[in-house]
Amino acid sequence: MSATKLLLTLSLMAAFAYVSLVGLMYLSQRTLLYPGAGATLAPEAASWGENVSIRTPDGETLHGLYSQGESGKPSVLFFLGNADRVSNYGFLAQALAARGVGLLAISYRGYPGSTGSPSENGLLTDGIAAFDWLSVRSESEIVVLGQSLGSGVAVDTAGQRPAIAVILVSAYLSVLSLAQTYYPYFPVPLLLKDPFRSDLKIAKVRQPKLFIHGRHDDIIPLYSGEALYRIAPEPKQMLIYESFGHNDVWDDRLVGDVIHFLEAMKRDII
């Protein structure tokens, strides 16, 4: 085989391998983005609060855990990260309940106890449905809390519904920008189905906002959260946890900062 033919053959093999890899990434992207989905439809036993079911406008049924707060106290609507479980937050429900604050955490469509399959449009629909359910059930003011993937759901929900405040833990500028960082050699804008453009929606979120991020977060780097914080309208504040990363950010300090934010907000000093 001549050198020219060998070079052509190798080039074609490389191109085929690249196209195949791009195709694989395209087909598997939602499995990567929503690793907690695909579990049983049977809701988990309530480890805190009560099991509730929430119907969405497009016909899905969401599982949630709900701890009702006291009359006149706000409720927190919690949107979790992409591999998390609502059953993991009994410690938060207990800390909030001690101050009369309610908590609703939902399992996105396709996640344990909920019907359907996850997608950006689906999760954003879930967020609005959960807010509307909670506003009727609790008849109290609602604070939206979103962590990691859930920060995008929180931003969208707060931009469309009258939440009184927003807490964003490990937030991102967009899933699109993160994907471009992780996969710089792929045409990400052409392939990505669920870009979660919080950067395009944060301007509508004019409620008081608290951003919390671990400096050593290697899943959603601090610079992504800081970029979203910079373009967010006032009022806002950001807390950076110097010794924490992505999966270890929840501890007594974060719970305390959430409670302090809620109490300060109610005193109108934010």
Side-chain angles (χ1 to χ4, degrees):
M1 181 180 295
S2 67
T4 301
K5 288 184 178 181
L6 178 60
L7 182 60
L8 178 59
T9 299
L10 292 175
S11 297
L12 289 173
M13 290 176 62
F16 177 77
Y18 177 78
V19 171
S20 298
L21 186 56
V22 169
L24 179 63
M25 292 296 296
Y26 178 78
L27 294 174
S28 63
Q29 62 179 280
R30 281 184 171 153
T31 300
L32 296 172
L33 186 56
Y34 309 111
T40 174
L41 291 181
E44 302 176 34
S47 57
W48 57 270
E50 62 174 307
N51 284 311
V52 298
S53 295
I54 300 170
R55 293 285 291 177
T56 68
D58 57 348
E60 304 297 348
T61 300
L62 308 178
H63 166 60
L65 287 179
Y66 176 53
S67 173
Q68 186 166 358
E70 298 174 5
S71 177
K73 296 293 183 69
S75 292
V76 174
L77 174 56
F78 187 18
F79 300 123
L80 280 63
N82 65 352
D84 215 341
R85 295 284 187 269
V86 295
S87 57
N88 292 336
Y89 289 89
F91 69 92
L92 178 60
Q94 183 178 11
L96 294 175
R99 292 156 178 84
V101 178
L103 176 66
L104 170 64
I106 66 163
S107 191
Y108 305 122
R109 61 183 63 203
Y111 278 68
S114 300
T115 64
S117 299
S119 67
E120 178 179 0
N121 287 337
L123 266 64
L124 299 186
T125 299
D126 295 347
I128 297 297
F131 188 98
D132 292 345
W133 183 93
L134 183 57
S135 66
V136 172
R137 181 69 177 267
S138 69
E139 297 183 347
S140 66
E141 297 173 315
I142 297 174
V143 176
V144 174
L145 166 60
Q147 179 180 6
S148 192
L149 179 68
S151 68
V153 183
V155 167
D156 182 80
T157 300
Q160 298 188 60
R161 291 295 188 267
I164 60 168
V166 183
I167 302 170
L168 301 176
V169 180
S170 306
Y172 47 78
L173 189 64
S174 68
V175 167
L176 172 62
S177 62
L178 290 175
Q180 288 175 311
T181 299
Y182 287 136
Y183 307 107
Y185 301 111
F186 293 132
V188 170
L190 299 177
L191 301 174
L192 191 62
K193 297 176 182 179
D194 301 333
F196 284 94
R197 296 295 303 271
S198 292
D199 56 331
L200 301 182
K201 298 179 179 182
I202 194 67
K204 293 183 178 180
V205 183
R206 299 194 171 277
Q207 301 95 325
K209 291 168 289 297
L210 173 63
F211 290 72
I212 299 175
H213 216 112
R215 183 171 296 281
H216 301 292
D217 193 325
D218 58 357
I219 304 297
I220 301 176
L222 175 59
Y223 66 76
S224 187
E226 287 181 319
L228 185 66
Y229 174 78
R230 284 195 296 270
I231 64 174
E234 296 285 354
K236 61 185 178 181
Q237 59 179 291
M238 186 167 194
L239 302 177
I240 299 174
Y241 291 1
E242 294 293 337
S243 301
F244 291 85
H246 191 80
N247 294 319
D248 61 351
V249 70
W250 274 106
D251 69 349
D252 291 342
R253 176 185 176 185
L254 197 154
V255 173
D257 285 334
V258 166
I259 290 171
H260 176 75
F261 176 74
L262 296 177
E263 293 174 343
M265 177 197 60
K266 294 301 291 183
R267 296 195 302 267
D268 294 324
I269 64 172
I270 292 180

